[in-house]
């Protein structure tokens, strides 16, 4: 009987580490599993591979805290310009693989070939090939062919991605690390062609350490002798660690500054910080193409192929905007202090850049406009596993300062990551990263709502308050209900004349990639809970 994509998702979700295991690791302080690579190599052998087999993929390996997915996407888009086409009659590569995490709407987004996610049929095909090989290996060893015969979620998908690329004849594989680098599941590759480290920051401290130097040590683990190594600019302490680890491996580590032409190239990904990611991608792609035999490749000036790749790249959920009637959804999956800061500044710049509908009217008209109710500006936020109140405080502080107001939003909505009101999680978006009662009790969301109210109270006490109204702070159980609440708020504002002609309501969705993915799912499906 044929096994479907839905069957694959059901099986895959059984491999998620449950909340109790994850929480125990956090509280133990034992850090990364130093046996992770030997264990991953053993899993490889069970499905019929040796790590050296993957040298055939000529891997490009990317690690970092911020921007590693975007950088990987830029590289993929640039290299895609050198695939067989009318302008590339003698191509030196035919299939470019891209493996990233997490996904937004569909698990199959993680495994792409030539810029396209696997189809449902192809995903199911290779998923069950790995599943069956692991069960057969267990039976041959006299072990039960149950859940214990498979690795956890991310390891399984990493095995599946490598197997898919080998089976599909991929000749270039861009691999993004999951967490860290030294002990990350992707670090079983022995001979990457080029490695790149994106901007570093503080994240996953229970696994990687609490200092930037400790985190840099882990990220530097992807650098291998014989592979060209690049890094984005880093804090001084982190840079020193990266340089030392590169020297220990006999490598020259190339620090990449912003490319001057990016001041005029319109990148496919919005926000100023993407210029740092694009600059790193340019140097990695150029070095890689030179190793293939494109000896005439230079980066000054940028080749036309590079410019096309930079302009055409798509990477959802990162400083992304969606328009729905008179609502503009601003979506960014920022979930660390550094990335929340970036998302906040991006949103502020979007607000400040928008035209004032009153500006084309007379001063009298503008004065009358100011007497009408304030147009809504809405926050939709969640973060289940990190220090959510600290992230929310950073968001509030930056936007209050950037927009010169103690009330950056008229409404703040906090919800869980559960997709649908009646259907629960979409199978692709199932998550076990929170306690079993958290989603129903909304304890995290209620805590965030209380914290946000406290931020405004502090501003009032400091005599900073001066807005025309307090922020309405709301808690919703699911993403579908939160999106519905946004639409309801906008509808009421329209009825009350609070939205001027040509004016849009801006909604910032941030705090979690899972939240952004669920919002996109609801927007794309119209909130249909049939899954």
């Amino acid at each position: 009987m044929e096994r479907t994509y839905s069957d694959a998702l059901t099986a895959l979700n059984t491999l998620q580490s449950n909340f109790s295991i994850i929480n125990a690791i956090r509280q133990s302080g034992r850090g990364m599993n130093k046996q992770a690579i030997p264990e991953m190599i053993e899993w490889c052998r069970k499905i019929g591979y040796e790590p050296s087999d993957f040298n055939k993929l000529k891997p490009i390996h990317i690690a970092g805290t911020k921007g590693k997915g975007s950088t990987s996407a830029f590289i993929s888009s640039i290299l895609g310009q050198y695939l067989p086409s009318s302008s590339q009659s003698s191509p030196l590569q035919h299939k470019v693989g891209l493996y990233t995490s997490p996904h937004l709407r569909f698990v199959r987004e993680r495994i792409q070939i030539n810029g396209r996610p696997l189809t449902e049929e192809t995903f199911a095909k290779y998923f069950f090939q790995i599943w069956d090989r692991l069960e057969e290996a267990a039976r041959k060893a006299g072990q039960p062919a149950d859940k214990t015969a498979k690795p956890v979620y991310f390891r399984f998908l990493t095995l599946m991605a490598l197997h898919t690329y080998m089976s599909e004849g991929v000749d270039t594989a861009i691999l993004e690390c999951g967490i860290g680098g030294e002990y990350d599941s992707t670090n079983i590759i022995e001979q990457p062609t080029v490695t790149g480290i994106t901007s570093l920051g503080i994240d996953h401290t229970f696994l990687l350490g609490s200092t930037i130097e400790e985190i840099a040590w882990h990220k530097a683990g992807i650098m291998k002798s014989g592979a060209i190594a690049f890094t984005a600019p880093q804090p001084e302490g982190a840079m020193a660690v990266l340089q030392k680890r590169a020297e220990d491996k006999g490598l020259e580590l190339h620090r990449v500054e912003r490319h001057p032409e990016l001041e005029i190239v319109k990148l496919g990904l919005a926000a100023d910080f993407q210029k740092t990611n694009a600059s790193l991608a340019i140097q990695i792609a150029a070095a890689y193409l030179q190793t293939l035999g494109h000896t005439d490749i230079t980066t000054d000036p940028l080749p036309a192929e590079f410019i096309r790749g930079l302009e055409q790249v798509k990477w959802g959920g990162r400083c992304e905007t969606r328009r729905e009637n008179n609502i503009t959804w601003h979506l960014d999956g920022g979930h660390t202090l550094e990335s929340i800061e970036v998302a906040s500044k991006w949103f502020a710049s979007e607000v400040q850049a928008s035209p004032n509908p009153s500006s084309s009217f007379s001063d009298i008209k503008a004065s009358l406009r100011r007497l009408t109710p304030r147009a809504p500006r809405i926050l939709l936020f969640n973060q289940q596993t990190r220090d959510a109140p600290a992230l929310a405080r950073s968001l509030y502080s930056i936007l209050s300062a950037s927009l010169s107001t103690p009330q950056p939003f008229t409404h703040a909505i906090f919800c869980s990551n559960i997709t649908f009101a009646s259907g629960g999680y979409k199978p692709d978006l199932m998550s076990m990263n929170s306690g079993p009662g958290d989603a129903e009790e909304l304890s995290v969301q209620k805590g965030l709502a209380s914290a946000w109210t406290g931020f405004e109270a502090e501003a009032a006490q400091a005599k900073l308050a001066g807005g025309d109204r307090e922020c309405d702070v709301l808690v919703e159980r699911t993403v579908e209900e939160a999106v519905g609440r946004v639409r309801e708020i906008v509808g009421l504002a329209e009825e009350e004349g609070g939205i001027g002609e040509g004016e849009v309501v801006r909604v910032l969705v941030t705090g979690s990639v899972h939240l952004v993915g669920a919002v996109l799912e609801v927007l794309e499906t119209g909130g249909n809970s049939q899954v």
Side-chain angles (χ1 to χ4, degrees):
M1 183 176 74
E2 182 183 0
R3 291 180 286 183
T4 66
Y5 179 65
S6 178
D7 296 329
L9 291 182
T10 299
L12 177 63
N13 283 332
T14 68
L15 304 181
Q16 290 197 44
S17 297
N18 65 38
F19 175 76
S20 61
I21 294 173
I22 295 171
N23 203 43
I25 294 173
R26 284 196 183 98
Q27 294 178 353
S28 72
R30 66 175 182 261
M32 292 292 283
N33 175 10
K34 296 180 180 178
Q35 293 303 308
I37 298 303
E39 290 171 3
M40 191 65 181
I41 291 172
E42 186 58 30
W43 289 117
C44 273
R45 289 171 176 158
K46 288 179 179 179
I47 64 170
Y49 292 102
E50 290 291 334
S52 58
D53 295 336
F54 305 128
N55 295 341
K56 180 181 178 181
L57 301 175
K58 297 187 283 293
I60 297 172
H61 206 181
I62 306 298
T65 307
K66 300 169 288 184
K68 55 191 169 85
S70 298
T71 300
S72 299
F74 275 123
I75 298 168
S76 177
S77 187
I78 293 171
L79 297 184
Q81 308 304 313
Y82 291 85
L83 293 170
S85 66
S86 57
S87 62
Q88 296 289 331
S89 56
S90 302
L92 299 178
Q93 56 176 1
H94 294 80
K95 290 186 178 182
V96 176
L98 174 63
Y99 177 57
T100 60
S101 62
H103 58 277
L104 277 176
R105 294 181 61 206
F106 308 102
V107 175
R108 54 193 178 86
E109 295 167 16
R110 296 181 182 227
I111 306 174
Q112 299 188 21
I113 297 177
N114 290 351
R116 295 181 178 274
L118 298 185
T119 64
E120 292 187 357
E121 294 76 15
T122 305
F123 185 97
K125 170 186 170 182
Y126 290 120
F127 178 91
F128 284 111
Q129 285 183 6
I130 299 300
W131 190 268
D132 292 344
R133 290 186 188 189
L134 291 170
E135 290 195 344
E136 180 61 24
R139 281 191 286 267
K140 286 183 178 179
Q143 299 168 348
D146 57 10
K147 179 180 176 180
T148 61
K150 294 98 182 175
V152 294
Y153 190 97
F154 183 75
R155 288 186 181 186
F156 187 99
L157 287 175
T158 301
L159 293 172
M160 179 185 160
L162 293 169
H163 170 62
T164 299
Y165 294 152
M166 295 291 285
S167 302
E168 289 286 324
V170 165
D171 41 28
T172 300
I174 304 159
L175 306 176
E176 178 198 355
C177 282
I179 296 176
E182 180 75 25
Y183 304 121
D184 187 73
S185 300
T186 61
N187 208 28
I188 56 170
I189 59 172
E190 295 182 344
Q191 292 181 11
T193 308
V194 187
T195 64
I197 298 175
T198 65
S199 301
L200 299 182
I202 305 297
D203 195 18
H204 299 294
T205 54
F206 70 100
L207 291 173
L208 305 179
S210 58
T211 69
I212 197 70
E213 290 80 8
E214 290 173 303
I215 290 169
W217 185 91
H218 281 278
K219 306 295 183 179
I222 67 167
M223 295 189 292
K224 303 281 195 337
S225 179
I228 307 166
F230 293 95
T231 180
Q234 307 292 356
E236 184 178 351
M239 196 69 200
V241 172
L242 296 181
Q243 290 281 14
K244 177 65 168 60
R245 294 213 70 191
E247 291 170 7
D248 291 345
K249 297 169 187 279
L251 296 172
E252 178 183 1
L253 178 60
H254 304 275
R255 171 177 161 149
V256 178
E257 303 295 340
R258 281 198 180 190
H259 197 290
E261 288 186 53
L262 296 186
E263 298 307 317
I264 56 174
V265 173
K266 183 174 175 57
L267 298 177
L269 302 182
D272 182 73
F273 71 88
Q274 291 291 3
K275 294 174 185 177
T276 297
N277 298 329
S279 299
L280 182 60
I282 286 167
Q283 299 304 326
I284 291 171
Y288 180 78
L289 288 167
Q290 288 164 2
T291 67
L292 291 187
H294 288 280
T295 54
D296 57 339
I297 292 286
T298 66
T299 59
D300 186 18
L302 287 175
E305 292 88 348
F306 277 52
I307 294 174
R308 280 200 306 273
L310 295 168
E311 292 177 338
Q312 294 175 4
V313 67
K314 290 179 171 48
W315 197 239
R318 283 76 172 177
C319 295
E320 178 182 4
T321 57
R322 293 283 186 101
R323 184 70 180 266
E324 178 190 58
N325 300 321
N326 59 348
I327 303 174
T328 298
W329 298 86
H330 299 260
L331 305 122
D332 188 89
H335 53 271
T336 67
L337 286 171
E338 290 89 351
S339 58
I340 282 290
E341 179 180 354
V342 167
S344 302
K345 291 179 178 177
W346 166 67
F347 182 71
S349 70
E350 291 284 295
V351 171
Q352 292 163 338
S354 62
N356 183 345
S358 300
S359 60
S360 60
F361 295 90
S362 67
D363 291 341
I364 295 175
K365 185 83 172 181
S367 297
L368 291 173
R369 175 76 182 93
R370 285 193 290 271
L371 296 177
T372 64
R374 176 184 172 190
R377 187 187 298 145
I378 305 169
L379 170 67
L380 180 51
F381 185 94
N382 189 44
Q383 173 50 242
Q384 288 290 145
T385 58
R386 291 169 173 80
D387 187 351
L391 295 180
R393 177 177 284 279
S394 176
L395 179 75
Y396 176 84
S397 299
I398 293 168
L399 285 174
S400 294
S402 299
L403 300 176
S404 302
T405 174
Q407 296 159 355
F409 298 100
T410 60
H411 301 77
I413 303 174
F414 302 97
C415 69
S416 74
N417 290 337
I418 297 175
T419 319
F420 297 115
S422 59
Y425 285 104
K426 178 185 176 184
D428 289 85
L429 301 174
M430 175 69 72
S431 175
M432 297 182 184
N433 282 340
S434 58
D438 286 347
E440 291 302 322
E441 296 172 6
L442 298 172
S443 54
V444 172
Q445 290 70 36
K446 291 174 182 176
L448 283 166
S450 176
W452 194 269
T453 302
F455 302 156
E456 292 203 339
E458 289 173 11
Q461 290 173 0
K463 297 182 180 180
L464 297 176
D468 55 356
R469 56 177 290 180
E470 292 183 355
C471 176
D472 289 336
V473 180
L474 307 166
V475 172
E476 297 291 346
R477 189 178 67 87
T478 68
V479 172
E480 182 179 12
E481 289 166 301
V483 170
R485 179 70 69 172
V486 169
R487 292 167 174 160
E488 177 185 308
I489 291 167
V490 175
L492 288 172
E494 286 180 312
E495 292 176 8
E496 296 172 357
I499 302 176
E501 183 179 353
E503 192 171 12
V504 297
V505 173
R506 297 185 180 276
V507 182
L508 174 61
V509 182
T510 193
S512 164
V513 174
H514 302 290
L515 172 65
V516 169
V519 168
L520 287 171
E521 179 65 21
V522 171
L523 294 179
E524 291 286 342
T525 62
N528 180 5
S529 60
Q530 299 301 312
V531 295

